[in-house]
Amino acid sequence: MNKNIHTFLGCDANYEESEMVLFGAPYDGTTSYRPGTRFASAAIRNESYGIETFSPYQEKDLTDYQIFDGGDLELPFGDPVRPLSLIEEFTANVLKDGKFPLMIGGEHLVTLGAMRTVVKQYPDVHIIHFDAHADLREDYLGVKLSHATVMRRCHELVGDNKIYQFGIRSGDREEFLFGNEHVTTCRFDFHTLDAVVEELERKQVPVYLTVDLDVLDPSVFPGTGTPEAGGATFTQLFDALQKVTRLKVVAADMNELSPIYDQSGASTALACKLLREMMLMLMK
Amino acid sequence: MNKNIHTFLGCDANYEESEMVLFGAPYDGTTSYRPGTRFASAAIRNESYGIETFSPYQEKDLTDYQIFDGGDLELPFGDPVRPLSLIEEFTANVLKDGKFPLMIGGEHLVTLGAMRTVVKQYPDVHIIHFDAHADLREDYLGVKLSHATVMRRCHELVGDNKIYQFGIRSGDREEFLFGNEHVTTCRFDFHTLDAVVEELERKQVPVYLTVDLDVLDPSVFPGTGTPEAGGATFTQLFDALQKVTRLKVVAADMNELSPIYDQSGASTALACKLLREMMLMLMK
Amino acid sequence: MNKNIHTFLGCDANYEESEMVLFGAPYDGTTSYRPGTRFASAAIRNESYGIETFSPYQEKDLTDYQIFDGGDLELPFGDPVRPLSLIEEFTANVLKDGKFPLMIGGEHLVTLGAMRTVVKQYPDVHIIHFDAHADLREDYLGVKLSHATVMRRCHELVGDNKIYQFGIRSGDREEFLFGNEHVTTCRFDFHTLDAVVEELERKQVPVYLTVDLDVLDPSVFPGTGTPEAGGATFTQLFDALQKVTRLKVVAADMNELSPIYDQSGASTALACKLLREMMLMLMK
Amino acid sequence: MNKNIHTFLGCDANYEESEMVLFGAPYDGTTSYRPGTRFASAAIRNESYGIETFSPYQEKDLTDYQIFDGGDLELPFGDPVRPLSLIEEFTANVLKDGKFPLMIGGEHLVTLGAMRTVVKQYPDVHIIHFDAHADLREDYLGVKLSHATVMRRCHELVGDNKIYQFGIRSGDREEFLFGNEHVTTCRFDFHTLDAVVEELERKQVPVYLTVDLDVLDPSVFPGTGTPEAGGATFTQLFDALQKVTRLKVVAADMNELSPIYDQSGASTALACKLLREMMLMLMK
Amino acid sequence: MNKNIHTFLGCDANYEESEMVLFGAPYDGTTSYRPGTRFASAAIRNESYGIETFSPYQEKDLTDYQIFDGGDLELPFGDPVRPLSLIEEFTANVLKDGKFPLMIGGEHLVTLGAMRTVVKQYPDVHIIHFDAHADLREDYLGVKLSHATVMRRCHELVGDNKIYQFGIRSGDREEFLFGNEHVTTCRFDFHTLDAVVEELERKQVPVYLTVDLDVLDPSVFPGTGTPEAGGATFTQLFDALQKVTRLKVVAADMNELSPIYDQSGASTALACKLLREMMLMLMK
Amino acid sequence: MNKNIHTFLGCDANYEESEMVLFGAPYDGTTSYRPGTRFASAAIRNESYGIETFSPYQEKDLTDYQIFDGGDLELPFGDPVRPLSLIEEFTANVLKDGKFPLMIGGEHLVTLGAMRTVVKQYPDVHIIHFDAHADLREDYLGVKLSHATVMRRCHELVGDNKIYQFGIRSGDREEFLFGNEHVTTCRFDFHTLDAVVEELERKQVPVYLTVDLDVLDPSVFPGTGTPEAGGATFTQLFDALQKVTRLKVVAADMNELSPIYDQSGASTALACKLLREMMLMLMK
């Protein structure tokens, strides 16, 4: 008898044979409003057995692909310096081994850990950022490393005009002013996505895809710390991901599920389904 | 003073004078993921007093019709053989008395009990099936009688090309392959419904209507065991029902409400409203 | 050190310098189905710190306006006579001081308290009423003052053809019959709003705006006592408010949030956001 | 087929043959803090099927007694005047027919309705009052009829030294001062109960028993509007009821369950069990 | 990198080296009232990381023992015949390999599966049964295999006077009558436990220990399907287990946690702690 | 009209006239298991209006004392260095002004901030520590500043034999070994408290009192991140506080309420009541 293995549905490959590595980064230490995203990756793994391995959207099946689920990183809470280092190190190893890193947050700050190593390997990396919030603050109550500043820190890594935001419908005035100068922001929805994808496809640049699930409308995704009305439907997000994954995506994450705030389980179920679809899109 | 009568809002007729018989089939013994649909019919009866008898959509009022609420069947849990027999027997009596049987599940397997007697009285019966899930498995963990196999069992009763599925967005690969051969499946939504209704209207065939409420998007209906993103709005489902009920519907059911998973009560309230509308549509 | 001040986000003005006065009317004593709106104003104040003062929709910021938050009126429960008097008196004072009263309910009956003084100051006042329910009953179980009769009582104040209802999708037959004769009802949505706004703009009449948040679909707003499927999206309601606030609105309210029924907090968060947007629209 | 009868477990008698009449008084219109007791009687009826008719404590079975469940009175909300009249009238009829009235609240104010008729038939009635709160205010925010004043109003009916309170651990200073003069208060627990029962037994006086379930510790009964730490265990309350029911109890009530606040259902289950035990104690 | 292993805290041994085998039997198909125990073993595994491996009660540490966590059996729902066979087979293998089987239910019926093989290996096995409910029905709605009949079925396996029940405070009259004849029942608490343990110690008989967690008072353990007031405290149950485990216990189970009904998590946390203590008691 | 003041019930004094200063420290950034104590102080303030100012236990009334409620400190999340400094600074000011600081956490780490300044002013300060957990780890996942290490850090401030722990029933082996050498630990309950109080009374030393509310049993206090069975009742804790407050307590805190985990509100209500009692005990 073997020890009890616990992975996301259908992610049964060994590390060596795998093309994609799924892992959890259960850190939410800087969350300023309502914490709980630390529980996301475990919840997604548990609840994934409520969905199927087969996608009737893409006519593909997870069982036809080699995906390794590395479980969750063991991250201390409090000061984010060490969690970010641990994420960076893990992601670097996955990239070094020629595999695709797919991270489940945690709060959005975890993206910075992954980006720190991605930008080393792909200096010209562009970021596609789906979110309700701009996350472009210089600091938050004097703190530089925060879920609310993560895109500002990423901007420091990649430079001007490399970040494309979609679905943004919240931020303070300064964030929008900064955004106007330094990043490309599509407010409220995805209406400029076709043009952006076309441009990046032409440029052949590597892309990091970060999906803050609160880009979705709270009606379809109430299970998040800062629900923000006026967001995308599941189908709109699905379609947007279809477009983005035509690009040369080199790493990705999905974050900000806070399962405890949606006791119906519908938010976690949606995250599971979306993760399945993202994996099937990204595995060419 | 009379004993305390408890019926769905406005369903005050005696059995003898009634044209339609509403009854609950509170069985969820084979539910493989999250149980709870056993509580649906009681919750619907309780919460129906939060809505009105009048429909501003149809300009009709429940108080103008003769509907009998027979309460809930007393069904044992565990092995589904006996619950299905009890449902079959009750439905047979209602049909024999020339009344319309309208069943509230329970898990979707309860449909099989009703269909067993409907197909005897109406050998040419066709099934209109609204659902997120194909329910076409041959067996589930070796078990033949399951919520996940109910349409496969119904197919054995009615034969090829008599089942029309709408809204289907989940299933394993084999279910979709089987479906391609033996039933008519409209994935994701109702875009082929007009054509199907037109065809069945021309054929003048009797129709059994089974509504798995998870055909709705989890945003409007989170109170179900396996919420599946990407479903219908209330208005889309309402419009679809308007079309189907132009046909010669001889029996119907509504199932898979699991009230406990939606503590806002919105799912149960929607089921109450939809049940009122279905009754008003079906009472010609 | 000062005492702990607690206001809605960004409403930091003193009474004297303010142009708008926000206040809570936490009364739900006649709620016949599920109570809880008494907690709305406190919840909105608490949770407002999860949103921003800046609106990317209107490119305006609450910090640029002078709004005073007067806290909650201290209202007894039970008989509504005294609560309505206290609301009337407070609103009268605000109007007398030349400020805009913006009330947070509470159940919808609180509107009557405000309207009693508004109609004295503005005898030609028209009412724009967003709601799922007609609220036009003559009485409810023999009671004249009820959330279910509030628009009937308002009709007695303003007379025929001065009330414009939108989004109405529930009521008994008599309410709709009365409505056909005495008020202007747009069922289900806002499709006649453009015409109404144009007409009232031409007439230059003062307008009282009352927003029962259950005009929204329960998917986006489950946190209310009587969720009624088939309602508006956030964007549809936002657009409707944009139109109405072009008129000469002299007072307004937002009511029927019942925070306890939406444990995700999304309903309260939506109410906070909508309140910010309404304030920014109404502050010219 | 008969209409769907819905009673408390084992209360299947007709009115005529019954010795005891159970009925619900679902009014909570004056509840100042957290409403919800209006749902108690329906919840108790629904959930009673989770317990047995047999009591291993008393070796008695509900099926051996004739109890009629009259369902719930239809009470309007808001002003308590009419609800109290309806309760008074119903109780009067039951007493007139020589049956024992057992009322399920609702908020504690419902006791006043019953007491108004009990005191007419039994002018020397004494009240045994189990509660966490003294309920002896003269008024509450200027309102005389309130859950917080109910024992003060009862005192006006029965006069000095006829009310015996137990378990009281909350009240304002004035209530305790009034209590010291006019009623007999046992703070925190039941330590004086033996003496009181002995005295009343000797006096042979009729007794009205009112049980506010928040006399229980919130650990065993969290499902109430104002949980007050430091209360009784189930066994302590059971033992106290055993003692009181040796007296000539002529009517009784059990109130202040608010099922929504205990999502585990344990509070409602306890109320069901206690109601069974009370009925078996009171049916000599 | 290894696949993600998921075990109960501190149960890290391989099967071969282990002395005790922990496994889940997530079946609740016959639960007649409120289902949900199927989620217990997964919840216990997940939440065990909130406690410590060290017991300050026993001054022992889980890390000093060799315990293997075999994960959950994959059990179909519906008819209990096959689930019971799978449990029997697994338990038989563990016993054959000379290890101690410790099963986490699921509903109480799972005990029957284990007992079927235990009684073969230990024909003189006695059962110590902690429970709120007698579970001695002959059948439930005509069904023989049910959580409500499990001890009756066990009695058929072991014969008269081999079952010792403690804490029993619910059952119908027939169960108690049967119990008086055929088993030894200690109602309400553990007051006869010392004598029973002394007797069984003298007899040197093998013992099967089955702990239905609803023996606990709902105040300390609300997370169960049928909470029954008047039960044991944690300390009382802990002390009772200390006594029983002095006997020659050959197999054991812990069942009826239904995590969904206690959203505080306290019930699951208690189950984790109790499981740790039971393991440390049973590992001599 | 004044701005909306929001304080704990009855704490209406100005800072200058006050003898005691209540303030919140809503930080839970290092919580390793289930966060949420950041919401405690706001919840306590909100819900305090459900209790009375008068204590029937002590025959005292909050309105007779001068207590200032300073609201909540504005603390960033993530790295705890700055939050601890802000707490230290605030506490220092209160002490400097000759007032009694009473802090509401937050996680238990906040105690360290207060103790840093208390030990400066009172070098001989002793700590009375009520808790379920020893909190004596040297580090937690390599992190020195953590809720799980707070008493170890306090030990570094005050030295050996100055910390007295009560109610401790969880910790790893190393914590208990350290405790045996350096602090005085009373496991499980308060049985050594009388002796300790007598000793400290004799020594006349200043005392810092820190109450981790999880010292209570989860039955009476489920609203905390790590519920640990086998704790104190409300009355036991109340009695223990009565004893401790006979000493020369110079500052105190109450922490680890996590209101979200107890949806009944009973935990928050208990915290409010306990806070009232503590204030009345500490105000001589």
Side-chain angles (χ1 to χ4, degrees), chain A residues 33-34 137 168-173 175-176 187-188 217-220 222-224 226-230 261-263, chain C residues 46-52 54 56-57 59-61 63-64 219-220 234-235 263-266 269-270 273 276:
Chain A
Y33 188 45
R34 301 193 307 175
R137 274 179 162 83
I168 309 302
R169 55 195 187 277
S170 178
D172 68 14
R173 186 144 42 188
E175 288 179 87
F176 283 99
R187 287 194 197 178
F188 311 131
D217 194 74
S219 58
V220 294
T224 194
T226 45
E228 183 74 34
Y261 294 111
D262 179 5
Q263 290 170 351
Chain C
N46 285 336
E47 301 305 316
S48 66
Y49 294 85
I51 64 167
E52 307 280 349
F54 177 71
Y57 299 85
E59 296 275 349
K60 291 172 163 183
D61 200 304
T63 58
D64 294 337
S219 58
V220 295
F234 171 78
T235 305
Q263 290 170 351
S264 77
L270 183 150
K273 182 173 183 174
R276 178 190 72 196

Side-chain angles (χ1 to χ4, degrees), chain F residues 80 99 155 163 178 200 221 228 234 271 277:
Chain F
K99 302 171 193 303
H155 171 263
I163 298 177
F178 179 88
L200 296 185
F221 196 75
E228 183 74 33
F234 172 77
E277 298 297 329

